[in-house]
Amino acid sequence: MTEFKQEQSWMHRAIELARQGQYSTKPNPNVGCVIVKDGVIVGQGFHPQAGQPHAEVFALREAGEQARGATAYVTLEPCAHYGRTPPCAKGLVEAGVAKVVVACPDPNPLVAGKGVQILQDAGIEVEVGIAQKEAHALNEGFLKAMASGMPYVRLKVASSLDGRTAMASGESKWITGTEARQDVQHWRAISGAVLTGIETVLTDDCQLNVRQLNGIDDMSTVVQPKRIILDRQGRLPLTAKILAQPDSVMVMGPFRQELADLGVLQLAVQPLTQLLAQLAGQYQIYDVLVEAGATLSTAFLQEQLVDELISYVAPTLLGRSARTMFNAEFSRMAEQLRFKLRDVTRFGEDVRFRLIPFQETL
């Protein structure tokens, strides 16, 4: 095996480790670390939860004295600042590693090259970019928010072959099958917030929480997403199921004392762009999953606020009177919204498309 392929192999192991924290680290990023000496892993670890030691700390503890002269493979640039934990870059220096391989630079202004600089100033060889694409996918929200101040927005829709999401009455249970609905739980679990409109709450009396995850036996380890309801006219009933856990609910709408008494966090009515910036900047919500009706979904798309469209399509037809996925009105082909295909996956009889919006230059 060539040296490059070997390095990729060690980094892929670090990525696997990082993924073990994908449901529990919010708002911190998912990070894994592998320490290798003489072709053997001598230490490994991942960041399990905000406030707990970082991946490098666990890996260095396991490696002990064997870390001296070893190579550390880290999925994200080691931190360079004191927060709830000491800077990992200095920990690697003190452990005496000879080389650090970093998959993905950290755009966080508190890090942003400073971690690499600390290592290089100590005479440690640093290599950046091995398996960067795969490592970046672990933390799309965190990396986007650190670089731009805006969260990564995923828009999820489930529809029939003819592009319908519910019957005219609002009945929608169920278009897709069990496996597809289970996959949605994953996207909720990696999100800092699930956002919807008041019409969806009134129609479905939904909870939008994470109830079951494949491979997770202890659901108490999962950091539940905030549930954000856009309710500009203050119509949210106090009997709504989503208010069973009011401390995890945020409502954008007119102030209501009865919601404040329940412990619901209330946000001022504002444009979607400002709302998203507030979620990232003030509340450290870096991944937002939008599960909403046609009007709100269309607004997110037309305002170019969607980073990824997750579309589940079921092999069924609901007819022309059923509700549509989107309600945009276009009169010219030039107005169409286009997407690039990220991947296609089958779940039972349903198909999931992951799509990236893009602006086609004519």
Side-chain angles (χ1 to χ4, degrees):
M1 184 181 292
T2 65
E3 183 178 353
F4 177 72
K5 286 186 176 180
Q6 185 63 74
E7 287 193 325
Q8 281 192 316
S9 177
W10 298 131
M11 189 61 78
H12 285 152
R13 173 55 186 161
I15 290 170
E16 288 176 10
L17 289 165
R19 200 170 282 121
Q20 292 183 41
Q22 64 182 332
Y23 302 134
S24 59
T25 63
K26 294 187 293 286
N28 286 5
N30 304 305
V31 183
C33 177
V34 170
I35 297 176
V36 178
K37 191 169 188 178
D38 300 326
V40 177
I41 294 178
V42 295
Q44 55 186 342
F46 69 96
H47 180 47
Q49 190 175 6
Q52 292 192 20
H54 291 182
E56 297 93 326
V57 174
F58 285 110
L60 288 171
R61 284 178 184 174
E62 186 175 302
E65 283 300 313
Q66 294 183 89
R68 192 162 300 278
T71 298
Y73 294 84
V74 190
T75 58
L76 186 67
E77 180 181 356
C79 61
H81 62 288
Y82 285 89
R84 283 191 273 186
T85 57
C88 291
K90 290 188 176 180
L92 291 165
V93 171
E94 292 167 359
V97 300
K99 181 179 179 179
V100 176
V101 180
V102 177
C104 198
D106 188 346
N108 183 343
L110 295 173
V111 184
K114 298 183 180 73
V116 168
Q117 192 64 52
I118 288 172
L119 298 171
Q120 291 176 332
D121 289 347
I124 296 174
E125 180 184 352
V126 179
E127 183 178 354
V128 179
I130 295 291
Q132 182 171 343
K133 182 178 179 181
E134 297 95 321
H136 189 282
L138 288 169
N139 298 299
E140 288 175 309
F142 175 84
L143 293 171
K144 182 187 176 187
M146 291 302 107
S148 70
M150 294 289 282
Y152 190 90
V153 177
R154 297 177 178 91
L155 172 60
K156 168 255 168 182
V157 292
S159 70
S160 60
L161 285 173
D162 51 350
R164 308 290 165 160
T165 60
M167 304 309 294
S169 63
E171 179 188 359
S172 61
K173 296 179 180 180
W174 295 103
I175 295 174
T176 54
T178 303
E179 292 180 43
R181 299 199 303 274
Q182 180 61 41
D183 186 59
V184 175
Q185 296 283 300
H186 161 77
W187 299 109
R188 288 181 184 175
I190 67 170
S191 301
V194 179
L195 186 150
T196 194
I198 184 60
E199 293 296 342
T200 298
V201 175
L202 294 175
T203 301
D204 298 338
D205 201 12
C206 49
Q207 298 181 68
L208 301 178
N209 57 355
V210 183
R211 295 181 288 277
Q212 183 181 7
L213 289 166
N214 293 328
I216 303 295
D217 296 323
D218 183 4
M219 288 298 294
S220 67
T221 63
V222 176
V223 178
Q224 288 282 344
K226 300 292 185 184
R227 282 82 53 76
I228 303 173
I229 306 165
L230 305 194
D231 183 21
R232 296 174 185 271
Q233 297 177 338
R235 294 187 291 155
L236 177 65
L238 299 183
T239 56
K241 289 180 181 178
I242 203 167
L243 291 177
Q245 292 85 35
D247 57 337
S248 65
V249 175
M250 305 169 75
V251 176
M252 188 189 85
F255 179 80
R256 295 169 61 188
Q257 186 60 50
E258 60 268 33
L259 292 180
D261 291 342
L262 287 175
V264 173
L265 182 61
Q266 299 182 74
L267 307 172
V269 176
Q270 57 194 305
L272 292 178
T273 301
Q274 292 180 22
L275 172 64
L276 292 174
Q278 182 183 20
L279 294 179
Q282 187 173 342
Y283 298 106
Q284 293 184 295
I285 293 173
Y286 303 141
D287 292 86
V288 174
L289 179 66
V290 178
E291 295 190 50
T295 299
L296 188 55
S297 296
T298 300
F300 267 91
L301 283 169
Q302 290 191 307
E303 293 182 37
Q304 299 180 24
L305 297 174
V306 175
D307 295 289
E308 182 175 351
L309 173 62
I310 301 174
S311 176
Y312 299 88
V313 180
T316 185
L317 300 172
L318 297 185
R320 67 178 184 179
S321 65
R323 299 185 180 186
T324 59
M325 295 168 62
F326 306 110
N327 57 15
E329 288 284 351
F330 299 143
S331 58
R332 297 178 298 112
M333 288 293 287
E335 297 175 277
Q336 65 183 292
L337 301 177
R338 296 193 62 85
F339 302 85
K340 289 184 178 179
L341 187 62
R342 184 167 180 174
D343 71 47
V344 181
T345 306
R346 180 172 174 173
F347 291 91
E349 295 301 312
D350 306 316
V351 177
R352 184 195 70 194
F353 295 87
R354 292 179 64 194
L355 303 149
I356 306 298
F358 79 102
Q359 297 297 312
E360 189 173 42
T361 54
L362 301 177

